[in-house]
Amino acid sequence: MNRRQMLMAALPLVAAPSLVLAQAQPAALATQAEPRRDPYAPTEVAIRDDFEVGSIVVVSKDFFLYHVTAPGRAVRYGVAVGTAELVWKGRATVGRKTEWPSWTPTPAMIERNPGQYGKWADGMPGGPSNPLGARALYLYDAKGNDTAIRIHGTTEPNSIGRAVSNGCIRMRNEAVMALFEQVPIGTPVYVY
Protein backbone atom coordinates (compact mmCIF):
# COMPACT_ATOMS: atom_id res chain seq x y z
CA MET A 1 0.00 0.00 0.00
CA ASN A 2 1.50 3.30 -1.04
CA ARG A 3 1.24 6.54 0.85
CA ARG A 4 -1.63 7.87 -1.29
CA GLN A 5 -3.75 4.75 -0.74
CA MET A 6 -3.10 4.94 2.99
CA LEU A 7 -4.23 8.60 3.16
CA MET A 8 -7.37 7.84 1.16
CA ALA A 9 -8.21 4.95 3.50
CA ALA A 10 -7.63 7.12 6.60
CA LEU A 11 -9.61 10.14 5.33
CA PRO A 12 -13.04 8.76 6.31
CA LEU A 13 -11.75 8.08 9.84
CA VAL A 14 -10.43 11.63 10.18
CA ALA A 15 -13.57 13.21 8.68
CA ALA A 16 -16.08 11.08 10.63
CA PRO A 17 -15.90 13.02 13.91
CA SER A 18 -16.36 16.31 12.02
CA LEU A 19 -19.41 14.93 10.21
CA VAL A 20 -20.94 13.68 13.46
CA LEU A 21 -20.39 17.08 15.09
CA ALA A 22 -21.73 18.91 12.06
CA GLN A 23 -24.88 16.78 12.10
CA ALA A 24 -25.37 17.15 15.86
CA GLN A 25 -24.74 20.88 16.01
CA PRO A 26 -27.81 22.10 14.03
CA ALA A 27 -30.10 20.06 16.28
CA ALA A 28 -28.48 21.56 19.38
CA LEU A 29 -28.79 25.05 17.92
CA ALA A 30 -32.42 24.43 16.97
CA THR A 31 -33.21 23.33 20.53
CA GLN A 32 -31.62 26.47 21.96
CA ALA A 33 -33.34 28.75 19.45
CA GLU A 34 -36.85 27.34 19.92
CA PRO A 35 -39.04 29.95 21.57
CA ARG A 36 -40.64 29.05 24.87
CA ARG A 37 -44.38 28.52 24.59
CA ASP A 38 -46.47 31.34 26.04
CA PRO A 39 -48.73 29.76 28.68
CA TYR A 40 -51.25 32.61 28.26
CA ALA A 41 -51.63 32.38 24.48
CA PRO A 42 -55.11 31.42 23.23
CA THR A 43 -55.37 27.62 23.30
CA GLU A 44 -58.24 25.23 22.62
CA VAL A 45 -58.78 23.05 25.69
CA ALA A 46 -61.25 20.62 27.28
CA ILE A 47 -63.61 22.07 29.90
CA ARG A 48 -66.42 20.70 32.05
CA ASP A 49 -69.36 20.00 29.79
CA ASP A 50 -71.95 21.62 32.07
CA PHE A 51 -71.18 25.19 30.93
CA GLU A 52 -73.46 26.42 28.17
CA VAL A 53 -71.92 26.90 24.75
CA GLY A 54 -71.04 30.55 24.22
CA SER A 55 -70.58 31.34 27.91
CA ILE A 56 -67.46 32.86 29.45
CA VAL A 57 -65.85 31.28 32.51
CA VAL A 58 -63.05 33.04 34.43
CA VAL A 59 -60.92 31.19 36.97
CA SER A 60 -59.21 34.09 38.73
CA LYS A 61 -56.72 32.08 40.79
CA ASP A 62 -55.36 30.47 37.60
CA PHE A 63 -55.46 33.67 35.48
CA PHE A 64 -57.51 32.09 32.70
CA LEU A 65 -60.69 33.03 30.85
CA TYR A 66 -62.49 30.27 28.95
CA HIS A 67 -64.86 30.95 26.07
CA VAL A 68 -66.98 27.80 25.73
CA THR A 69 -67.14 26.96 22.02
CA ALA A 70 -68.75 23.48 22.10
CA PRO A 71 -69.89 21.02 24.76
CA GLY A 72 -66.75 20.26 26.78
CA ARG A 73 -64.53 22.53 24.63
CA ALA A 74 -63.30 26.10 25.09
CA VAL A 75 -60.68 28.58 23.96
CA ARG A 76 -58.54 29.49 26.96
CA TYR A 77 -57.05 32.99 27.22
CA GLY A 78 -54.63 34.33 29.79
CA VAL A 79 -55.91 37.24 31.88
CA ALA A 80 -54.91 39.60 34.66
CA VAL A 81 -57.34 39.91 37.55
CA GLY A 82 -57.93 42.10 40.58
CA THR A 83 -55.48 42.22 43.43
CA ALA A 84 -56.44 39.96 46.36
CA GLU A 85 -58.81 42.42 48.00
CA LEU A 86 -60.34 43.48 44.68
CA VAL A 87 -61.13 40.15 43.01
CA TRP A 88 -64.75 40.16 41.85
CA LYS A 89 -66.54 36.82 41.77
CA GLY A 90 -70.04 35.99 40.67
CA ARG A 91 -72.39 35.54 37.74
CA ALA A 92 -73.08 38.31 35.25
CA THR A 93 -74.04 38.84 31.64
CA VAL A 94 -72.42 40.93 28.96
CA GLY A 95 -74.66 43.99 29.02
CA ARG A 96 -72.73 46.23 26.68
CA LYS A 97 -69.77 46.03 24.27
CA THR A 98 -67.59 48.93 23.19
CA GLU A 99 -64.73 49.37 20.73
CA TRP A 100 -61.96 51.68 22.02
CA PRO A 101 -63.92 52.44 25.21
CA SER A 102 -63.55 55.61 27.23
CA TRP A 103 -62.58 55.14 30.87
CA THR A 104 -63.43 56.85 34.12
CA PRO A 105 -61.86 55.57 37.34
CA THR A 106 -64.34 54.73 40.09
CA PRO A 107 -64.50 56.96 43.19
CA ALA A 108 -62.93 54.07 45.16
CA MET A 109 -59.97 53.96 42.74
CA ILE A 110 -59.46 57.72 43.07
CA GLU A 111 -59.64 57.43 46.86
CA ARG A 112 -57.08 54.58 46.91
CA ASN A 113 -54.64 56.33 44.59
CA PRO A 114 -55.51 59.99 43.91
CA GLY A 115 -52.12 60.71 42.32
CA GLN A 116 -52.61 58.09 39.64
CA TYR A 117 -56.37 58.34 39.04
CA GLY A 118 -57.47 61.81 40.16
CA LYS A 119 -56.51 63.50 36.89
CA TRP A 120 -58.94 61.19 35.07
CA ALA A 121 -61.94 61.82 37.37
CA ASP A 122 -63.82 63.30 34.41
CA GLY A 123 -62.82 60.43 32.15
CA MET A 124 -60.27 59.53 29.47
CA PRO A 125 -61.27 59.14 25.83
CA GLY A 126 -60.79 55.79 24.15
CA GLY A 127 -57.63 55.09 22.18
CA PRO A 128 -54.32 53.23 22.26
CA SER A 129 -53.20 54.83 25.56
CA ASN A 130 -56.50 54.16 27.38
CA PRO A 131 -56.12 51.48 30.09
CA LEU A 132 -59.23 49.63 28.86
CA GLY A 133 -57.44 48.88 25.61
CA ALA A 134 -59.06 48.08 22.28
CA ARG A 135 -62.36 46.53 23.44
CA ALA A 136 -64.48 46.19 26.58
CA LEU A 137 -67.28 43.86 27.60
CA TYR A 138 -69.35 45.42 30.40
CA LEU A 139 -70.69 42.98 32.98
CA TYR A 140 -74.21 43.46 34.36
CA ASP A 141 -75.87 41.69 37.30
CA ALA A 142 -79.15 39.74 37.23
CA LYS A 143 -81.17 42.93 37.83
CA GLY A 144 -79.59 44.67 34.84
CA ASN A 145 -77.26 46.89 36.89
CA ASP A 146 -73.72 47.65 35.73
CA THR A 147 -71.30 45.85 38.07
CA ALA A 148 -68.44 48.26 37.13
CA ILE A 149 -66.48 45.11 36.20
CA ARG A 150 -65.18 44.85 32.66
CA ILE A 151 -63.45 42.27 30.53
CA HIS A 152 -61.15 44.55 28.58
CA GLY A 153 -57.89 44.96 26.74
CA THR A 154 -54.79 46.47 28.27
CA THR A 155 -51.92 48.80 27.58
CA GLU A 156 -49.82 46.52 29.82
CA PRO A 157 -49.71 43.10 28.14
CA ASN A 158 -46.98 41.98 30.56
CA SER A 159 -49.60 42.12 33.36
CA ILE A 160 -51.33 38.99 32.00
CA GLY A 161 -50.99 36.15 34.48
CA ARG A 162 -50.92 38.41 37.54
CA ALA A 163 -53.27 39.92 40.12
CA VAL A 164 -52.79 43.63 39.42
CA SER A 165 -56.08 45.24 38.40
CA ASN A 166 -58.70 47.17 40.35
CA GLY A 167 -61.13 44.28 39.90
CA CYS A 168 -61.57 44.09 36.14
CA ILE A 169 -60.42 41.21 33.96
CA ARG A 170 -57.69 42.23 31.52
CA MET A 171 -56.81 40.47 28.29
CA ARG A 172 -54.21 41.21 25.65
CA ASN A 173 -55.74 43.51 23.04
CA GLU A 174 -55.63 40.92 20.25
CA ALA A 175 -57.36 38.38 22.54
CA VAL A 176 -60.15 40.71 23.68
CA MET A 177 -60.70 41.77 20.06
CA ALA A 178 -61.22 38.12 19.06
CA LEU A 179 -63.55 37.49 22.01
CA PHE A 180 -65.47 40.71 21.33
CA GLU A 181 -66.35 39.48 17.83
CA GLN A 182 -67.62 36.12 19.10
CA VAL A 183 -69.83 37.01 22.07
CA PRO A 184 -73.19 38.79 21.84
CA ILE A 185 -74.92 40.98 24.40
CA GLY A 186 -76.51 38.68 26.98
CA THR A 187 -73.63 36.18 27.09
CA PRO A 188 -73.44 34.59 30.55
CA VAL A 189 -70.19 35.15 32.46
CA TYR A 190 -69.10 33.13 35.49
CA VAL A 191 -66.17 34.44 37.53
CA TYR A 192 -64.65 32.12 40.15
Side-chain angles (χ1 to χ4, degrees), residues 72-156:
R73 301 298 302 166
V75 175
R76 183 184 71 195
Y77 298 93
V79 296
V81 298
T83 57
E85 68 278 6
L86 299 174
V87 172
W88 182 86
K89 295 181 180 182
R91 185 188 188 287
T93 58
V94 174
R96 186 167 76 119
K97 297 171 32 171
T98 304
E99 295 183 25
W100 296 107
S102 61
W103 170 71
T104 303
T106 66
M109 291 169 67
I110 294 169
E111 186 178 320
R112 273 193 306 276
N113 194 337
Q116 182 176 357
Y117 300 120
K119 64 184 171 189
W120 303 113
D122 293 328
M124 174 191 257
S129 62
N130 185 298
L132 294 186
R135 305 287 184 274
L137 306 173
Y138 294 71
L139 304 187
Y140 284 67
D141 67 20
K143 294 180 182 178
N145 300 311
D146 187 349
T147 65
I149 300 299
R150 317 284 183 245
I151 297 171
H152 64 79
T154 183
T155 56
E156 300 174 356

Side-chain angles (χ1 to χ4, degrees), residues 3 5 16 37-38 46 48 59 62 64 85 98 101 133-134 159-160 166 171 174-175:
R3 185 175 175 177
Q5 290 172 327
R37 185 176 158 354
D38 176 3
R48 288 184 358 212
V59 181
D62 294 336
F64 288 119
E85 68 278 6
T98 304
S159 69
I160 302 304
N166 281 286
M171 301 176 75
E174 60 274 12

Side-chain angles (χ1 to χ4, degrees), residues 5 11 26 51 55 102 114 118 123 127 132 147 150 157 170 180-181:
Q5 290 172 327
L11 187 60
F51 289 110
S55 65
S102 61
L132 294 186
T147 65
R150 317 284 183 245
R170 296 181 188 175
F180 184 93
E181 294 301 321

Side-chain angles (χ1 to χ4, degrees), residues 17-85:
S18 298
L19 290 173
V20 170
L21 286 175
Q23 290 173 352
Q25 195 170 13
L29 289 175
T31 301
Q32 291 173 358
E34 285 180 19
R36 293 185 341 173
R37 185 176 158 354
D38 176 3
Y40 301 111
T43 306
E44 188 174 335
V45 296
I47 191 171
R48 288 184 358 212
D49 59 6
D50 57 338
F51 289 110
E52 58 264 55
V53 173
S55 65
I56 296 171
V57 179
V58 178
V59 181
S60 298
K61 70 178 181 62
D62 294 336
F63 306 106
F64 288 119
L65 177 150
Y66 300 84
H67 179 226
V68 182
T69 56
R73 301 298 302 166
V75 175
R76 183 184 71 195
Y77 298 93
V79 296
V81 298
T83 57
E85 68 278 6

